[in-house]
Amino acid sequence: MGDEAKPVLIECQIDGSQHEMPVKHARMSGTIKNMLDDIDDDLESAIPIPNIKGEIMKKVVEFCAQHPDAPLEPTDEQQVEMRRKVLEGWDKEFINVPLPTLFDMILAANFLDLKPMLDVTCKAVAEMIKGKTPEEVKKVFGVEGEFTEEERKQVLRDNPWLKQDNDANIEGPQEGST
């Protein structure tokens, strides 16, 4: 058995659950890859993972098994293709989970530096809101009420790209001006 097929034991520290996956799949995660490099691929003990529940780690293991050859650093063309195509087949089923679970999957993919899974899970959220009105988006995510004027101003300060081209304040204060 080659090193790539050897199993790695992952332990989720939140709930103590353990999950086995081939080294090749585990190395898809930048975080786990770095941990394996640090221990010279000594697979005698479990790799501890904080912040991820067992049920979510199980989804990570499933994803890596389904996409073992996914590009870890996609080209510009591959990124454009990901944005354009609609999720279907296995990926569509994979993300067909309750919204809190989907958000936990996004957080796990981000923590684990597992770009292919992060792309798929974020794409799922993008597809959920594409073409919807602000009211429909609020309903999807269970947001109630409106922003206060101060909250709205803070969002615009934090995200200047949200301002409309016809907004008189689009340019804001110029650097060096008083």
Side-chain angles (χ1 to χ4, degrees):
M1 171 165 40
D3 283 351
E4 295 297 303
K6 282 185 182 176
V8 174
L9 190 61
I10 307 293
E11 182 173 335
C12 296
Q13 293 182 314
I14 286 180
D15 58 15
S17 64
Q18 294 188 335
H19 308 269
E20 210 173 78
M21 62 194 309
V23 170
K24 178 181 180 186
H25 298 175
R27 285 186 164 280
M28 291 174 68
S29 157
T31 303
I32 295 174
K33 177 187 178 301
N34 289 339
M35 294 172 100
L36 288 169
D37 289 347
D38 288 347
I39 60 170
D40 294 324
D41 288 327
D42 174 13
L43 305 177
E44 295 303 312
S45 55
I47 302 290
I49 300 293
N51 309 330
I52 300 176
K53 295 181 277 187
E55 69 179 274
I56 301 302
M57 193 64 204
K58 183 178 177 186
K59 297 291 278 183
V60 170
V61 171
E62 289 173 21
F63 184 89
C64 292
Q66 182 66 29
H67 295 286
D69 299 317
L72 302 181
E73 295 184 27
T75 64
D76 289 344
E77 294 80 22
Q78 289 168 324
Q79 289 177 353
V80 167
E81 176 65 20
M82 179 63 176
R83 285 193 292 269
R84 287 188 178 154
K85 75 175 189 172
V86 175
L87 291 176
E88 56 189 16
W90 189 92
D91 287 344
K92 181 84 169 162
E93 284 300 312
F94 177 73
I95 54 90
N96 188 18
V97 295
L99 199 55
T101 301
L102 182 60
F103 287 142
D104 284 345
M105 290 164 57
I106 290 170
L107 292 172
N110 187 53
F111 174 78
L112 292 171
D113 189 18
L114 182 54
K115 182 148 178 51
M117 183 172 158
L118 186 60
D119 287 345
V120 168
T121 52
C122 287
K123 172 78 173 176
V125 173
E127 287 183 4
M128 293 170 79
I129 64 175
K130 185 176 182 179
K132 293 196 172 20
T133 66
E135 288 305 314
E136 292 169 328
V137 171
K138 286 170 62 175
K139 188 174 181 181
V140 167
F141 296 114
V143 175
E144 296 177 4
E146 297 292 329
F147 281 142
T148 65
E149 186 60 26
E150 184 53 40
E151 289 170 329
R152 191 183 75 68
K153 286 178 181 176
Q154 183 63 44
V155 167
L156 291 174
R157 278 193 301 272
D158 293 345
N159 304 283
W161 56 271
L162 288 173
K163 292 182 181 182
Q164 298 292 326
D165 286 337
N166 60 1
D167 186 342
N169 296 322
I170 193 163
E171 291 187 30
Q174 300 297 314
E175 248 183 55
S177 65
T178 55

